[in-house]
Amino acid sequence: MKLGSLLVGLVLLTGCGGDKESPSAPLKVGAIFPMTGNTATYGEESWNGIQLAWDDLKAQGIHFDLKLKDEKSESQTANIQTKTLIENDGVNVILGSVASSNTLQIMLAAKEAGIPVITPASTNDTLTEQGGPLASRICFNDSFQGAVLANFALNEGWRKGVAVVDKAQVYSTGLAENIRKAFEAGGGTISFEYYSSGDTDFANTIQNVANQKPQVIFFSGYYPEGGPMIRQAGEKWKGVPLVAGDGFDSPELPKLVGDTSADIFLSSHFAADAPDPKVQEFAKRYEERFGQPPGAMAGLGYDVLLVLADAVKRCKDPRDPEELGKAIAATKYKGITGYMDLSTPDRTPRKDAVIVKVEGGLKFYRAVPAAK
Ligand code: PHE
């Protein structure tokens, strides 16, 4: 057996010009996240979570050669970094990113090269379909999230909604459409108001929303615009509850919103103060190391590397992209962000969501069971 694998190794070395990795060398894993730019907290939290998982794996004797690239909160950069990781660094698999528009660029570039991708956090429904069979995710998608948000509002008795939509982000337009479908199906009426990521003055949008006198305002965008918009709205939106998607999940959000009397709820993947002892143990460890409680991205970052390690364990040759992609797509794993079964037609787990309330920080409010 030993001699056999030695011989195979030699044949590979000589037969393939010597640039083939030895089977015992650590697998090369690329990670692409927004480490700078306007959603840098997403990247920071994801990478922190990944590092904790990396430590856990090392302690078990499992080693990955992990390379981090910054997509700078830009979809074009996400595309370039994917090509760099594949062509220059020879990575076997890529983890990333957060914003769906950026992940789409990663998945399209990786599909061309035939390299598997797992996104920890991108929820736009179409991603895994566009990315092809080697593209998977460990989070729920936005048709689920849209229904979670719409039903939450309907259950509170709020029937007339306005959704504030970032027209530059596929996540935001897709999620708004999913909120609309579920809200109308449950007897609500809804209209849309638009802005674009990067905007800083929201006076028009704020006024247009206020003019409609909604019972609830939905947000399908990201916190760097949503936080300041709520702060700028001040008295104009007084007394109207705000319901947002996971794009609001950031330790920066409460600071950006400032002092407000508004009730702000958001759906997410994980809450650091949820009553699960495993979550609390993770939150304690994270806070000790990084000085703040983990947000959703931290939990998803932690889980995504462990999901990869679990899939690698089930491969004969994890350097075979087809085999690794199939193993990832067959994952059934209980992580700190919940149970995930990736063996669905869209390689998207039907996972539980949590509703979080913004009260000083982000506070666990209630769990929402996965769609059947
Ligand atoms: N779901 C968002 C998207 O697809 C990204 C996100 C996930 C943001 C989790 C914050 C927390 O674009």
Side-chain angles (χ1 to χ4, degrees), residues 42 98-100 121-124 142 171 222 246-247 249 269 296-297 300:
Y42 291 160
V98 182
S100 288
S122 295
T123 46
N124 179 267
D142 286 332
Y171 158 72
Y222 298 118
D246 57 348
D249 192 317
H269 309 263
M297 285 309 320
L300 291 167

Side-chain angles (χ1 to χ4, degrees), residues 124 193 257-258:
N124 179 267
E193 291 296 337
V257 165

Side-chain angles (χ1 to χ4, degrees), residues 42 45 97-101 103 119-124 127 137 139-140 142 145 169-172 222-223 245-250 267-269 295-297 300:
Y42 291 160
E45 287 206 303
S97 186
V98 182
S100 288
S101 297
T103 298
T119 178
S122 295
T123 46
N124 179 267
L127 290 181
R137 70 178 122 212
C139 52
F140 51 69
D142 286 332
Q145 178 163 224
Q169 296 288 343
V170 62
Y171 158 72
S172 187
Y222 298 118
Y223 72 90
D246 57 348
F248 268 37
D249 192 317
S250 165
S267 64
S268 197
H269 309 263
M297 285 309 320
L300 291 167

Side-chain angles (χ1 to χ4, degrees), residues 74-198:
E74 298 164 354
S75 60
Q76 215 27 52
T77 308
N79 182 283
I80 294 165
Q81 296 291 39
T82 308
K83 290 179 177 151
T84 307
L85 279 173
I86 295 172
E87 287 159 20
N88 299 356
D89 298 304
V91 297
N92 302 103
V93 56
I94 293 177
L95 309 177
S97 186
V98 182
S100 288
S101 297
N102 303 7
T103 298
L104 177 60
Q105 291 306 316
I106 296 174
M107 286 184 170
L108 293 176
K111 180 181 173 186
E112 222 176 281
I115 294 292
V117 177
I118 318 174
T119 178
S122 295
T123 46
N124 179 267
D125 280 40
T126 69
L127 290 181
T128 48
E129 184 190 314
Q130 294 196 67
L134 301 183
S136 327
R137 70 178 122 212
I138 63 157
C139 52
F140 51 69
N141 66 15
D142 286 332
S143 45
F144 173 65
Q145 178 163 224
V148 167
L149 295 174
N151 292 333
F152 176 75
L154 290 167
N155 284 337
E156 297 291 326
W158 306 327
R159 289 280 178 284
K160 186 177 176 195
V162 177
V164 185
V165 185
D166 181 343
K167 59 174 182 280
Q169 296 288 343
V170 62
Y171 158 72
S172 187
T173 52
L175 179 58
E177 193 44 34
N178 283 305
I179 293 171
R180 186 190 66 74
K181 270 190 219 148
F183 199 59
E184 288 179 353
T189 57
I190 189 166
S191 63
F192 291 173
E193 291 296 337
Y194 295 93
Y195 67 96
S196 282
S197 1

